[in-house]
PDB file of all heavy atoms in Angstrom:
ATOM      1  N   ALA A  40     170.082-105.424 161.676  1.00 97.00           N
ATOM      2  CA  ALA A  40     168.827-104.696 161.465  1.00 97.00           C
ATOM      3  C   ALA A  40     167.753-105.315 162.369  1.00 97.00           C
ATOM      4  O   ALA A  40     167.463-106.446 162.226  1.00 97.00           O
ATOM      5  CB  ALA A  40     168.405-104.756 160.018  1.00 97.00           C
ATOM      6  N   PRO A  41     167.167-104.601 163.257  1.00 96.00           N
ATOM      7  CA  PRO A  41     166.118-105.174 164.168  1.00 96.00           C
ATOM      8  C   PRO A  41     164.783-105.225 163.596  1.00 96.00           C
ATOM      9  O   PRO A  41     163.799-104.625 163.963  1.00 96.00           O
ATOM     10  CB  PRO A  41     166.208-104.117 165.354  1.00 96.00           C
ATOM     11  CG  PRO A  41     166.531-102.840 164.667  1.00 96.00           C
ATOM     12  CD  PRO A  41     167.524-103.145 163.606  1.00 96.00           C
ATOM     13  N   THR A  42     164.750-106.034 162.497  1.00 97.00           N
ATOM     14  CA  THR A  42     163.473-106.222 161.813  1.00 97.00           C
ATOM     15  C   THR A  42     162.794-107.546 162.195  1.00 97.00           C
ATOM     16  O   THR A  42     163.341-108.302 163.080  1.00 97.00           O
ATOM     17  CB  THR A  42     163.707-106.306 160.267  1.00 97.00           C
ATOM     18  OG1 THR A  42     164.371-107.502 159.982  1.00 97.00           O
ATOM     19  CG2 THR A  42     164.484-105.094 159.747  1.00 97.00           C
ATOM     20  N   VAL A  43     161.624-107.896 161.615  1.00 97.00           N
ATOM     21  CA  VAL A  43     160.957-109.099 161.949  1.00 97.00           C
ATOM     22  C   VAL A  43     161.629-110.368 161.205  1.00 97.00           C
ATOM     23  O   VAL A  43     161.436-111.458 161.637  1.00 97.00           O
ATOM     24  CB  VAL A  43     159.441-109.064 161.545  1.00 97.00           C
ATOM     25  CG1 VAL A  43     158.736-108.004 162.320  1.00 97.00           C
ATOM     26  CG2 VAL A  43     159.255-108.876 160.015  1.00 97.00           C
ATOM     27  N   ASN A  44     162.357-110.045 160.221  1.00 98.00           N
ATOM     28  CA  ASN A  44     162.827-111.037 159.255  1.00 98.00           C
ATOM     29  C   ASN A  44     164.223-111.550 159.614  1.00 98.00           C
ATOM     30  O   ASN A  44     165.165-110.865 159.590  1.00 98.00           O
ATOM     31  CB  ASN A  44     162.837-110.481 157.882  1.00 98.00           C
ATOM     32  CG  ASN A  44     163.326-111.439 156.774  1.00 98.00           C
ATOM     33  OD1 ASN A  44     163.494-112.608 157.022  1.00 98.00           O
ATOM     34  ND2 ASN A  44     163.466-110.897 155.540  1.00 98.00           N
ATOM     35  N   VAL A  45     164.308-112.869 159.933  1.00 98.00           N
ATOM     36  CA  VAL A  45     165.662-113.498 160.262  1.00 98.00           C
ATOM     37  C   VAL A  45     166.512-113.479 159.060  1.00 98.00           C
ATOM     38  O   VAL A  45     167.784-113.604 159.230  1.00 98.00           O
ATOM     39  CB  VAL A  45     165.387-114.962 160.779  1.00 98.00           C
ATOM     40  CG1 VAL A  45     165.026-115.860 159.660  1.00 98.00           C
ATOM     41  CG2 VAL A  45     166.648-115.431 161.538  1.00 98.00           C
ATOM     42  N   GLY A  46     166.043-113.233 157.875  1.00 98.00           N
ATOM     43  CA  GLY A  46     166.918-113.125 156.658  1.00 98.00           C
ATOM     44  C   GLY A  46     167.892-112.060 156.796  1.00 98.00           C
ATOM     45  O   GLY A  46     168.958-112.054 156.263  1.00 98.00           O
ATOM     46  N   ASP A  47     167.481-110.934 157.501  1.00 98.00           N
ATOM     47  CA  ASP A  47     168.458-109.795 157.802  1.00 98.00           C
ATOM     48  C   ASP A  47     169.546-110.307 158.649  1.00 98.00           C
ATOM     49  O   ASP A  47     170.746-109.824 158.511  1.00 98.00           O
ATOM     50  CB  ASP A  47     167.760-108.662 158.371  1.00 98.00           C
ATOM     51  CG  ASP A  47     166.843-107.882 157.376  1.00 98.00           C
ATOM     52  OD1 ASP A  47     167.302-107.662 156.293  1.00 98.00           O
ATOM     53  OD2 ASP A  47     165.646-107.625 157.724  1.00 98.00           O
ATOM     54  N   ASP A  48     169.268-111.171 159.630  1.00 98.00           N
ATOM     55  CA  ASP A  48     170.300-111.642 160.548  1.00 98.00           C
ATOM     56  C   ASP A  48     171.212-112.638 159.760  1.00 98.00           C
ATOM     57  O   ASP A  48     172.378-112.761 160.131  1.00 98.00           O
ATOM     58  CB  ASP A  48     169.624-112.285 161.656  1.00 98.00           C
ATOM     59  CG  ASP A  48     168.711-111.305 162.408  1.00 98.00           C
ATOM     60  OD1 ASP A  48     169.228-110.462 163.172  1.00 98.00           O
ATOM     61  OD2 ASP A  48     167.499-111.408 162.182  1.00 98.00           O
ATOM     62  N   ILE A  49     170.675-113.402 158.831  1.00 98.00           N
ATOM     63  CA  ILE A  49     171.499-114.298 158.071  1.00 98.00           C
ATOM     64  C   ILE A  49     172.560-113.478 157.286  1.00 98.00           C
ATOM     65  O   ILE A  49     173.694-113.815 157.093  1.00 98.00           O
ATOM     66  CB  ILE A  49     170.585-115.146 157.104  1.00 98.00           C
ATOM     67  CG1 ILE A  49     169.814-116.197 158.029  1.00 98.00           C
ATOM     68  CG2 ILE A  49     171.452-115.949 156.095  1.00 98.00           C
ATOM     69  CD1 ILE A  49     168.785-116.952 157.229  1.00 98.00           C
ATOM     70  N   GLN A  50     172.091-112.278 156.773  1.00 98.00           N
ATOM     71  CA  GLN A  50     173.013-111.412 156.099  1.00 98.00           C
ATOM     72  C   GLN A  50     174.057-110.839 157.107  1.00 98.00           C
ATOM     73  O   GLN A  50     175.266-110.668 156.712  1.00 98.00           O
ATOM     74  CB  GLN A  50     172.341-110.270 155.420  1.00 98.00           C
ATOM     75  CG  GLN A  50     171.486-110.724 154.228  1.00 98.00           C
ATOM     76  CD  GLN A  50     170.746-109.597 153.632  1.00 98.00           C
ATOM     77  OE1 GLN A  50     171.200-108.905 152.703  1.00 98.00           O
ATOM     78  NE2 GLN A  50     169.520-109.380 154.143  1.00 98.00           N
ATOM     79  N   THR A  51     173.679-110.591 158.397  1.00 98.00           N
ATOM     80  CA  THR A  51     174.672-110.190 159.397  1.00 98.00           C
ATOM     81  C   THR A  51     175.722-111.283 159.572  1.00 98.00           C
ATOM     82  O   THR A  51     176.915-111.044 159.640  1.00 98.00           O
ATOM     83  CB  THR A  51     173.931-109.892 160.686  1.00 98.00           C
ATOM     84  OG1 THR A  51     173.066-108.856 160.454  1.00 98.00           O
ATOM     85  CG2 THR A  51     175.006-109.498 161.784  1.00 98.00           C
ATOM     86  N   LEU A  52     175.249-112.545 159.705  1.00 98.00           N
ATOM     87  CA  LEU A  52     176.147-113.702 159.788  1.00 98.00           C
ATOM     88  C   LEU A  52     177.088-113.806 158.568  1.00 98.00           C
ATOM     89  O   LEU A  52     178.251-114.079 158.671  1.00 98.00           O
ATOM     90  CB  LEU A  52     175.446-114.972 159.949  1.00 98.00           C
ATOM     91  CG  LEU A  52     174.601-115.248 161.224  1.00 98.00           C
ATOM     92  CD1 LEU A  52     173.893-116.587 161.192  1.00 98.00           C
ATOM     93  CD2 LEU A  52     175.499-115.177 162.456  1.00 98.00           C
ATOM     94  N   ALA A  53     176.595-113.400 157.422  1.00 98.00           N
ATOM     95  CA  ALA A  53     177.408-113.442 156.229  1.00 98.00           C
ATOM     96  C   ALA A  53     178.504-112.402 156.306  1.00 98.00           C
ATOM     97  O   ALA A  53     179.667-112.582 155.822  1.00 98.00           O
ATOM     98  CB  ALA A  53     176.504-113.235 154.952  1.00 98.00           C
ATOM     99  N   GLY A  54     178.140-111.206 156.920  1.00 98.00           N
ATOM    100  CA  GLY A  54     179.180-110.184 157.079  1.00 98.00           C
ATOM    101  C   GLY A  54     180.235-110.638 158.027  1.00 98.00           C
ATOM    102  O   GLY A  54     181.505-110.384 157.774  1.00 98.00           O
ATOM    103  N   ILE A  55     179.875-111.318 159.095  1.00 98.00           N
ATOM    104  CA  ILE A  55     180.824-111.880 160.038  1.00 98.00           C
ATOM    105  C   ILE A  55     181.750-112.889 159.345  1.00 98.00           C
ATOM    106  O   ILE A  55     182.974-112.899 159.505  1.00 98.00           O
ATOM    107  CB  ILE A  55     180.069-112.564 161.231  1.00 98.00           C
ATOM    108  CG1 ILE A  55     179.389-111.457 162.019  1.00 98.00           C
ATOM    109  CG2 ILE A  55     181.089-113.315 162.099  1.00 98.00           C
ATOM    110  CD1 ILE A  55     178.433-112.043 163.096  1.00 98.00           C
ATOM    111  N   ASN A  56     181.142-113.809 158.549  1.00 98.00           N
ATOM    112  CA  ASN A  56     181.852-114.835 157.820  1.00 98.00           C
ATOM    113  C   ASN A  56     182.873-114.204 156.880  1.00 98.00           C
ATOM    114  O   ASN A  56     184.020-114.693 156.689  1.00 98.00           O
ATOM    115  CB  ASN A  56     180.827-115.744 157.038  1.00 98.00           C
ATOM    116  CG  ASN A  56     181.521-116.765 156.217  1.00 98.00           C
ATOM    117  OD1 ASN A  56     182.134-117.675 156.766  1.00 98.00           O
ATOM    118  ND2 ASN A  56     181.408-116.624 154.932  1.00 98.00           N
ATOM    119  N   PHE A  57     182.425-113.110 156.201  1.00 98.00           N
ATOM    120  CA  PHE A  57     183.323-112.371 155.287  1.00 98.00           C
ATOM    121  C   PHE A  57     184.537-111.859 155.998  1.00 98.00           C
ATOM    122  O   PHE A  57     185.715-112.072 155.526  1.00 98.00           O
ATOM    123  CB  PHE A  57     182.515-111.230 154.639  1.00 98.00           C
ATOM    124  CG  PHE A  57     183.335-110.386 153.724  1.00 98.00           C
ATOM    125  CD1 PHE A  57     183.881-110.900 152.491  1.00 98.00           C
ATOM    126  CD2 PHE A  57     183.566-109.043 154.010  1.00 98.00           C
ATOM    127  CE1 PHE A  57     184.650-110.094 151.660  1.00 98.00           C
ATOM    128  CE2 PHE A  57     184.309-108.275 153.166  1.00 98.00           C
ATOM    129  CZ  PHE A  57     184.847-108.762 151.947  1.00 98.00           C
ATOM    130  N   LEU A  58     184.354-111.187 157.106  1.00 98.00           N
ATOM    131  CA  LEU A  58     185.495-110.591 157.819  1.00 98.00           C
ATOM    132  C   LEU A  58     186.395-111.777 158.347  1.00 98.00           C
ATOM    133  O   LEU A  58     187.643-111.688 158.224  1.00 98.00           O
ATOM    134  CB  LEU A  58     184.990-109.808 159.035  1.00 98.00           C
ATOM    135  CG  LEU A  58     184.417-108.417 158.748  1.00 98.00           C
ATOM    136  CD1 LEU A  58     184.149-107.723 160.081  1.00 98.00           C
ATOM    137  CD2 LEU A  58     185.333-107.616 157.936  1.00 98.00           C
ATOM    138  N   LYS A  59     185.835-112.869 158.813  1.00 98.00           N
ATOM    139  CA  LYS A  59     186.674-113.922 159.280  1.00 98.00           C
ATOM    140  C   LYS A  59     187.492-114.553 158.176  1.00 98.00           C
ATOM    141  O   LYS A  59     188.618-114.945 158.361  1.00 98.00           O
ATOM    142  CB  LYS A  59     185.795-115.009 159.879  1.00 98.00           C
ATOM    143  CG  LYS A  59     185.320-114.602 161.277  1.00 98.00           C
ATOM    144  CD  LYS A  59     184.460-115.712 161.912  1.00 98.00           C
ATOM    145  CE  LYS A  59     184.011-115.319 163.395  1.00 98.00           C
ATOM    146  NZ  LYS A  59     183.194-116.373 164.010  1.00 98.00           N
ATOM    147  N   SER A  60     186.910-114.564 156.952  1.00 98.00           N
ATOM    148  CA  SER A  60     187.704-115.060 155.794  1.00 98.00           C
ATOM    149  C   SER A  60     188.908-114.284 155.444  1.00 98.00           C
ATOM    150  O   SER A  60     189.787-114.635 154.744  1.00 98.00           O
ATOM    151  CB  SER A  60     186.663-115.156 154.629  1.00 98.00           C
ATOM    152  OG  SER A  60     186.432-113.934 154.005  1.00 98.00           O
ATOM    153  N   LYS A  61     188.861-112.980 155.941  1.00 98.00           N
ATOM    154  CA  LYS A  61     189.976-112.076 155.713  1.00 98.00           C
ATOM    155  C   LYS A  61     190.894-111.949 157.004  1.00 98.00           C
ATOM    156  O   LYS A  61     191.727-111.106 157.089  1.00 98.00           O
ATOM    157  CB  LYS A  61     189.469-110.655 155.402  1.00 98.00           C
ATOM    158  CG  LYS A  61     188.474-110.552 154.217  1.00 98.00           C
ATOM    159  CD  LYS A  61     189.059-111.118 152.959  1.00 98.00           C
ATOM    160  CE  LYS A  61     188.047-111.141 151.806  1.00 98.00           C
ATOM    161  NZ  LYS A  61     188.638-111.741 150.559  1.00 98.00           N
ATOM    162  N   GLY A  62     190.641-112.905 157.936  1.00 98.00           N
ATOM    163  CA  GLY A  62     191.481-112.919 159.102  1.00 98.00           C
ATOM    164  C   GLY A  62     191.110-111.987 160.160  1.00 98.00           C
ATOM    165  O   GLY A  62     191.846-111.742 161.134  1.00 98.00           O
ATOM    166  N   ILE A  63     189.855-111.417 160.044  1.00 98.00           N
ATOM    167  CA  ILE A  63     189.423-110.388 161.070  1.00 98.00           C
ATOM    168  C   ILE A  63     188.361-111.067 162.001  1.00 98.00           C
ATOM    169  O   ILE A  63     187.262-111.471 161.524  1.00 98.00           O
ATOM    170  CB  ILE A  63     188.818-109.139 160.318  1.00 98.00           C
ATOM    171  CG1 ILE A  63     189.892-108.537 159.446  1.00 98.00           C
ATOM    172  CG2 ILE A  63     188.223-108.157 161.365  1.00 98.00           C
ATOM    173  CD1 ILE A  63     189.352-107.624 158.440  1.00 98.00           C
ATOM    174  N   HIS A  64     188.694-111.175 163.278  1.00 98.00           N
ATOM    175  CA  HIS A  64     187.749-111.845 164.195  1.00 98.00           C
ATOM    176  C   HIS A  64     187.205-111.033 165.251  1.00 98.00           C
ATOM    177  O   HIS A  64     186.420-111.397 166.005  1.00 98.00           O
ATOM    178  CB  HIS A  64     188.523-113.071 164.827  1.00 98.00           C
ATOM    179  CG  HIS A  64     189.024-114.090 163.792  1.00 98.00           C
ATOM    180  ND1 HIS A  64     188.249-115.162 163.419  1.00 98.00           N
ATOM    181  CD2 HIS A  64     190.137-114.142 163.065  1.00 98.00           C
ATOM    182  CE1 HIS A  64     188.833-115.864 162.543  1.00 98.00           C
ATOM    183  NE2 HIS A  64     189.992-115.285 162.315  1.00 98.00           N
ATOM    184  N   LYS A  65     187.642-109.692 165.359  1.00 97.00           N
ATOM    185  CA  LYS A  65     187.077-108.787 166.234  1.00 97.00           C
ATOM    186  C   LYS A  65     186.216-107.751 165.529  1.00 97.00           C
ATOM    187  O   LYS A  65     186.706-107.180 164.474  1.00 97.00           O
ATOM    188  CB  LYS A  65     188.178-108.039 167.049  1.00 97.00           C
ATOM    189  CG  LYS A  65     188.950-108.958 168.069  1.00 97.00           C
ATOM    190  CD  LYS A  65     190.036-108.188 168.698  1.00 97.00           C
ATOM    191  CE  LYS A  65     189.517-107.136 169.644  1.00 97.00           C
ATOM    192  NZ  LYS A  65     190.581-106.469 170.338  1.00 97.00           N
ATOM    193  N   TYR A  66     184.999-107.599 165.940  1.00 98.00           N
ATOM    194  CA  TYR A  66     184.116-106.623 165.259  1.00 98.00           C
ATOM    195  C   TYR A  66     183.005-106.187 166.245  1.00 98.00           C
ATOM    196  O   TYR A  66     182.825-106.750 167.281  1.00 98.00           O
ATOM    197  CB  TYR A  66     183.475-107.338 164.083  1.00 98.00           C
ATOM    198  CG  TYR A  66     182.823-108.690 164.402  1.00 98.00           C
ATOM    199  CD1 TYR A  66     181.622-108.766 164.968  1.00 98.00           C
ATOM    200  CD2 TYR A  66     183.625-109.863 164.176  1.00 98.00           C
ATOM    201  CE1 TYR A  66     181.034-110.099 165.274  1.00 98.00           C
ATOM    202  CE2 TYR A  66     183.103-111.137 164.559  1.00 98.00           C
ATOM    203  CZ  TYR A  66     181.830-111.156 165.020  1.00 98.00           C
ATOM    204  OH  TYR A  66     181.368-112.398 165.470  1.00 98.00           O
ATOM    205  N   GLU A  67     182.341-105.137 165.866  1.00 98.00           N
ATOM    206  CA  GLU A  67     181.266-104.531 166.541  1.00 98.00           C
ATOM    207  C   GLU A  67     180.021-104.586 165.717  1.00 98.00           C
ATOM    208  O   GLU A  67     180.118-104.564 164.461  1.00 98.00           O
ATOM    209  CB  GLU A  67     181.493-103.116 167.056  1.00 98.00           C
ATOM    210  CG  GLU A  67     182.709-102.956 168.009  1.00 98.00           C
ATOM    211  CD  GLU A  67     182.977-101.525 168.384  1.00 98.00           C
ATOM    212  OE1 GLU A  67     182.060-100.680 168.134  1.00 98.00           O
ATOM    213  OE2 GLU A  67     184.049-101.326 168.835  1.00 98.00           O
TER     214      GLU A  67
END
Side-chain angles (χ1 to χ4, degrees):
T42 68
V43 299
N44 182 6
V45 73
D47 287 314
D48 303 282
I49 291 172
Q50 290 177 92
T51 299
L52 292 178
I55 294 170
N56 178 68
F57 175 67
L58 286 185
K59 287 182 176 179
S60 74
K61 306 302 176 184
I63 299 162
H64 297 271
K65 290 178 65 177
Y66 49 83
E67 296 178 15

